[in-house]
């Protein structure tokens, strides 16, 4: 049995990962701002589930959640940084307040969780960190730039963390989902800045409309995504990046093609700058 520490476990992919891990006989420390929302998904509370109130923007509550989990299970093997939300708006339209609030959860919330959990994984010389990013953190789009930037930051954190923790026996994987049929595009997980600048109607407008139109129509099955996430922790050599969904694969391939094409086109300039 492994012991999982999951943030944002009350809904969406976090809830599905929690359920899949429990179904496989693992213990789960499931954190949410309202732990009772985690428990409502189960007619009878599973023996392996510990639901704990914790907000990723409050380090002391995360520390308390880790301590409660260690008191019950004695160890933590897998940390899933899942808590986060989306933000829609052209870069210039997004207020400073909205941008900072987003980064407080999507980036600094992950750092807070890592500081609370990594001492245990390092002491054990084993474990796996799963950072739930987005394909938008590899290839972003108009109207989702600030959200994409928060997930780009998570890519950088994960790459560095991978190198720092590998010598200690701890794996790191960043998961890059495409569109999955959760409530992520709904009001509970997606905040929308007003379309306040007419000049951006052409660039950002179509994406705004597509996101609103696709709520509840995403192509991905969240239960299958959760299965893939739990599966990757059982691999002998897990990947640094795990894309989920055909749409994610398509966007990653398109970005790689673009980067390679531009690199080749401008290679002579890059190589001309040496002393």
């Amino acid at each position: 049995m492994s012991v999982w520490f999951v943030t944002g476990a009350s809904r969406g992919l976090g809830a599905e990962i929690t359920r899949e891990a429990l179904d496989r006989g693992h213990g789960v420390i499931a954190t949410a701002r309202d732990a009772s929302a985690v428990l409502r998904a189960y007619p009878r509370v599973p023996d392996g589930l510990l639901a704990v109130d914790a907000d990723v923007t409050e380090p002391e509550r995360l520390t308390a959640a880790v301590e409660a989990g260690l008191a019950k299970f004695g160890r933590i093997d897998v940390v899933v940084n899942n808590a986060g939300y989306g933000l829609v708006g052209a870069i210039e339209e997004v207020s400073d307040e909205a941008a900072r609030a987003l980064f407080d959860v999507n980036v600094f919330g992950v750092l807070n969780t890592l500081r609370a959990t990594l001492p245990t994984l390092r002491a054990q010389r084993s474990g796996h960190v799963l950072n739930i990013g987005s394909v938008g953190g590899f290839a972003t789009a108009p109207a989702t730039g600030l959200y994409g930037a928060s997930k780009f930051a998570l890519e950088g954190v994960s790459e560095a963390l991978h190198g720092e923790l590998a010598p200690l026996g701890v794996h790191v994987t960043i998961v890059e989902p495409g569109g999955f049929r959760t409530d992520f595009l709904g009001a509970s997980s997606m905040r929308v800045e007003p379309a306040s600048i007419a000049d951006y109607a052409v660039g950002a407008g179509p994406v705004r409309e597509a996101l609103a139109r696709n709520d509840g129509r995403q192509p991905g099955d969240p239960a299958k995504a959760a299965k893939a996430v739990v599966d990757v922790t059982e691999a002998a050599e897990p990947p640094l990046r795990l894309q989920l969904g055909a749409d994610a694969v398509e966007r990653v391939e398109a970005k790689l093609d673009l980067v390679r094409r531009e690199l080749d086109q401008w290679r002579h300039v890059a190589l001309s700058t040496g002393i």
Side-chain angles (χ1 to χ4, degrees), residues 177-246:
F180 280 82
R181 201 165 296 182
T182 66
D183 61 355
F184 184 73
L185 295 182
S188 62
S189 295
M190 185 68 72
R191 301 180 189 180
V192 180
E193 291 284 270
S196 57
I197 302 175
D199 282 346
Y200 294 124
V202 175
V207 178
R208 282 178 173 272
E209 294 166 7
L211 290 171
R213 188 169 60 247
N214 287 335
D215 186 18
R217 298 180 178 180
Q218 301 96 320
D221 182 337
K224 291 181 179 178
K227 180 181 183 302
V229 168
V230 179
D231 283 347
V232 83
T233 66
E234 299 172 0
E237 297 183 9
L240 170 58
R241 288 181 174 84
L242 176 67
Q243 290 82 30
L244 296 179

Side-chain angles (χ1 to χ4, degrees), residues 133-141 144-145 147-149 151-152 155 176-178 251:
S134 167
V135 67
F138 191 87
T140 192
T144 61
Y147 171 72
K151 295 302 185 178
F152 265 70
E155 294 270 339
E176 299 171 344
R251 283 179 65 180

Side-chain angles (χ1 to χ4, degrees), residues 128-132 158 171-175 232 238-242:
H128 200 153
V129 175
L130 295 165
N131 291 331
I132 307 300
S158 300
H171 300 295
V172 176
T173 298
I174 183 164
V175 182
V232 83
L240 170 58
R241 288 181 174 84
L242 176 67

Side-chain angles (χ1 to χ4, degrees), residues 29 45 165 217 240:
I29 307 157
V45 180
L165 291 179
R217 298 180 178 180
L240 170 58

Side-chain angles (χ1 to χ4, degrees), residues 5-8 31 54-63 79-85 100-117 129-132 150-151 153-154 157:
F5 187 96
V6 182
T7 66
T31 74
D55 187 320
V56 295
T57 65
E58 300 177 10
E60 65 281 358
R61 295 180 69 183
L62 286 168
T63 299
V79 176
V80 182
N81 282 301
N82 171 74
Y85 66 92
R100 290 178 184 275
L102 179 76
F103 273 69
D104 276 345
V105 174
N106 288 11
V107 180
F108 292 101
V110 171
L111 297 179
N112 290 336
T113 304
L114 291 172
R115 294 187 190 103
T117 56
V129 175
L130 295 165
N131 291 331
I132 307 300
S150 73
K151 295 302 185 178
L154 197 55
V157 167

